[in-house]
């Protein structure tokens, strides 16, 4: 079977838009958001002068520092992953502004009927996993979370799926601790978060294999690819 040709640069921007849309949708469903974005969401609820997207800058900045320490190296090109974070955060705030169902000032998170919330949660899990798999197939760096998993797995020759599951679990623990510390209860963390922690790595692994099986990824700008 002939494989479909996709271009890295287009995959990159599609992944950012899809992932930020999924994050906004999960937050609106309020059935437990992705463990990856949960720490930033908790911080945004405590530090109300920060938007959700801006809180992502703070959290991913911390993860970036940890990444450089574990890599035992720093290259200026690594900052491209934080550039992705900036675009993602802006897109996340955009979706939460322009879509009434996602805008907390118009639709209170969790106020929609339960079947709708469950559907949004399930769709969000699938979309999130697919977007991360897309990031793994482009030379342009994903946001810091996924860049961390991709590069650390290469650096220490670790299974990427297993490392992703471990990273997700760490994010879940961090979000839980912050929630209890700031509010004395769970905020953003719910049953859906636990389910995503268990299945997200496996879903990403599935989409990763499907993309390898059915697609060929090529750059539109080969000279830029060499810089990465």
């Amino acid at each position: 079977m002939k494989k479909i040709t996709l271009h890295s640069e287009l995959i990159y921007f599609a992944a950012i838009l899809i992932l930020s849309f999924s994050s906004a949708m999960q937050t609106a469903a309020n059935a437990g958001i992705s463990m990856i974005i949960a720490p930033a969401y908790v911080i945004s609820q405590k530090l109300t002068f920060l938007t959700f997207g801006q809180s992502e800058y703070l959290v991913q900045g911390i993860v970036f520092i940890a990444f450089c320490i574990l890599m035992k190296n720093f290259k200026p090109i690594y900052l491209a992953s934080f550039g992705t974070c900036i675009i993602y955060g802006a897109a996340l705030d955009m979706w939460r502004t322009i879509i009434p169902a996602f805008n907390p000032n118009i639709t209170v998170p969790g106020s929609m009927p339960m079947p709708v919330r469950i559907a949004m949660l399930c769709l969000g899990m699938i979309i999130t996993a697919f977007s991360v798999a897309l990031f793994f197939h482009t030379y342009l760096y994903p946001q810091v979370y996924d860049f961390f998993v991709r590069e650390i797995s290469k650096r220490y020759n670790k299974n990427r799926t297993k490392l992703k599951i471990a990273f997700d679990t760490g994010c879940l623990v961090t979000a839980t601790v912050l929630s209890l510390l700031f509010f004395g209860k769970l905020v953003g963390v719910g049953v859906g978060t636990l389910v995503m922690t268990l299945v997200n790595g496996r879903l990403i692994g599935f989409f990763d294999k499907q993309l390898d099986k059915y697609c060929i990824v090529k750059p539109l700008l080969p000279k830029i690819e060499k810089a990465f």
Side-chain angles (χ1 to χ4, degrees):
M1 185 183 70
K2 186 177 180 180
K3 291 186 176 182
I4 301 171
T5 299
L6 301 175
H7 294 292
S8 295
E9 297 83 356
L10 299 180
I11 286 177
Y12 171 78
F13 287 108
I16 291 177
L17 290 175
I18 293 171
L19 182 59
S20 57
F21 178 87
S22 175
S23 298
M25 181 167 59
Q26 290 176 37
T27 306
N30 196 33
I33 62 177
S34 167
M35 55 279 145
I36 297 299
I37 63 175
Y41 180 71
V42 173
I43 290 173
S44 72
Q45 294 301 294
K46 179 64 175 179
L47 305 178
T48 54
F49 57 87
L50 293 177
T51 66
F52 192 177
Q54 290 167 348
S55 296
E56 284 282 9
Y57 304 156
L58 174 62
V59 174
Q60 293 197 46
I62 295 173
V63 175
F64 183 78
I65 293 172
F67 166 78
C68 292
I69 292 173
L70 289 173
M71 290 292 287
K72 299 178 181 179
N73 188 19
F74 170 77
K75 297 179 181 179
I77 195 66
Y78 289 164
L79 291 172
S81 66
F82 196 76
T84 302
C85 163
I86 293 175
I87 300 173
Y88 164 81
L92 172 58
D93 287 339
M94 176 194 71
W95 291 126
R96 298 190 79 209
T97 300
I98 67 174
I99 299 180
F102 296 172
N103 189 329
N105 296 319
I106 298 175
T107 305
V108 177
S111 62
M112 288 172 280
M114 183 57 71
V116 175
R117 294 171 60 194
I118 294 175
M120 291 170 67
L121 173 66
C122 294
L123 182 59
M125 284 192 289
I126 295 171
I127 293 176
T128 296
F130 179 65
S131 62
V132 173
L134 286 176
F135 272 127
F136 286 157
H137 285 77
T138 177
Y139 67 85
L140 292 161
Y141 292 161
Q143 59 176 334
V144 180
Y145 302 134
D146 303 314
F147 183 63
F148 180 100
V149 172
R150 190 177 78 178
E151 297 303 315
I152 293 297
S153 66
K154 291 179 182 177
R155 173 70 172 77
Y156 294 97
N157 194 29
K158 300 294 183 181
N159 180 277
R160 190 162 65 188
T161 298
K162 291 182 179 179
L163 181 59
K164 176 62 176 171
I165 293 172
F167 184 85
D168 290 352
T169 302
C171 290
L172 174 60
V173 171
T174 300
T176 300
V177 171
L178 289 176
S179 291
L180 296 176
L181 180 64
F182 291 158
F183 304 103
K185 62 179 182 179
L186 295 179
V187 174
V189 178
V191 175
T193 309
L194 179 59
V195 172
M196 280 184 273
T197 303
L198 295 174
V199 306
N200 192 52
R202 294 173 177 83
L203 279 174
I204 293 171
F206 169 77
F207 285 121
D208 200 13
K209 291 179 181 178
Q210 296 306 305
L211 287 168
D212 283 336
K213 183 177 181 180
Y214 295 107
C215 301
I216 297 176
V217 180
K218 296 181 178 180
L220 281 172
L221 305 169
K223 291 183 179 180
I224 293 181
E225 180 185 31
K226 293 179 181 179
F228 287 82

